[in-house]
Amino acid sequence: MKRKLKRLVPVLFLIYLALLVWIILFKLQFSLQDLDTGRSVNLIPFYYDKEIGTAFHLKEVLENLLIFVSMGIYLQMLLPKRRLHTKLIIIAGTSLLLEALQYVLAIGRSDITDLLTNTAGGLLGLVLYCIVARLLGNRVRADKLFLILAVIVSAIVIGLLALILLMN
């Protein structure tokens, strides 16, 4: 049973990565024609054009933070023997790659704020996993808990996506 559960984690992580790409690069669009085209780079952290309200930016910052929490948790489960800084480099590298792809493909705004908040979200996931593992007494229990949560959340998200696809 333990091995079967362990095999499920990489599958769920790949599903998460596919959803991450779809959310960040394709902005939850089902058609490439619906994507905004444009290419810009913002290298000033937490700087926003005045034409867009502050509430929008706070929401975007929180969304970026939250979406990468799962990556930190998955990396703790998949790479338990790797050092914290290695996992953090993977998180930041993934975020940087996605931001660079937005620029290269001209499908979004590459923003240093996104890189910072994504990385902070991943760090939050790494820390959250460690706290839960400590509270539960060991990593095996934490892995089981997070695996159960990942299965539930993945099933809900996939179900909702299937419903949206059927309605379109």
Side-chain angles (χ1 to χ4, degrees):
M1 175 90 168
K2 187 176 174 184
R3 284 187 188 164
K4 288 181 183 178
L5 290 178
K6 281 272 190 199
R7 288 186 201 147
L8 190 55
V9 175
V11 172
L12 291 170
F13 183 61
L14 290 175
I15 292 169
Y16 164 76
L17 287 177
L19 288 170
L20 188 67
V21 167
W22 184 49
I23 292 167
I24 292 178
L25 289 184
F26 301 107
K27 314 297 185 232
L28 299 172
Q29 298 298 319
F30 291 104
S31 170
L32 293 176
Q33 292 145 346
D34 292 337
L35 288 173
D36 291 334
T37 56
R39 185 178 283 151
S40 68
V41 175
N42 174 30
L43 297 176
I44 303 169
F46 301 98
Y47 171 79
Y48 306 105
D49 295 334
K50 292 180 180 166
E51 63 212 31
I52 301 173
T54 306
F56 170 80
H57 296 299
L58 179 60
K59 181 179 175 243
E60 184 182 1
V61 165
L62 290 174
E63 287 170 349
N64 285 339
L65 189 80
L66 290 175
I67 197 166
F68 268 77
V69 169
S70 296
M71 181 174 279
I73 292 169
Y74 275 121
L75 289 177
Q76 288 287 46
M77 293 170 69
L78 291 167
L79 305 171
K81 293 185 175 29
R82 298 284 181 182
R83 292 181 179 258
L84 180 69
H85 72 272
T86 302
K87 296 171 194 168
L88 205 52
I89 289 169
I90 292 169
I91 293 165
T94 301
S95 179
L96 181 61
L97 176 64
L98 291 170
E99 291 299 314
L101 284 171
Q102 285 184 70
Y103 181 81
V104 169
L105 299 173
I107 55 173
R109 178 182 166 114
S110 299
D111 196 325
I112 190 71
T113 302
D114 292 350
L115 178 65
L116 293 171
T117 54
N118 293 346
T119 304
L123 178 61
L124 181 62
L126 294 170
V127 171
L128 179 65
Y129 179 94
C130 291
I131 290 170
V132 170
R134 195 163 273 172
L135 288 173
L136 294 177
N138 62 39
R139 296 182 65 93
V140 174
R141 289 183 184 150
D143 282 354
K144 285 181 184 177
L145 173 66
F146 284 117
L147 181 61
I148 291 167
L149 290 173
V151 167
I152 292 169
V153 170
S154 296
I156 291 170
V157 169
I158 291 169
L160 289 173
L161 288 175
L163 184 65
I164 291 170
L165 281 172
L166 289 173
M167 295 175 75
N168 282 329

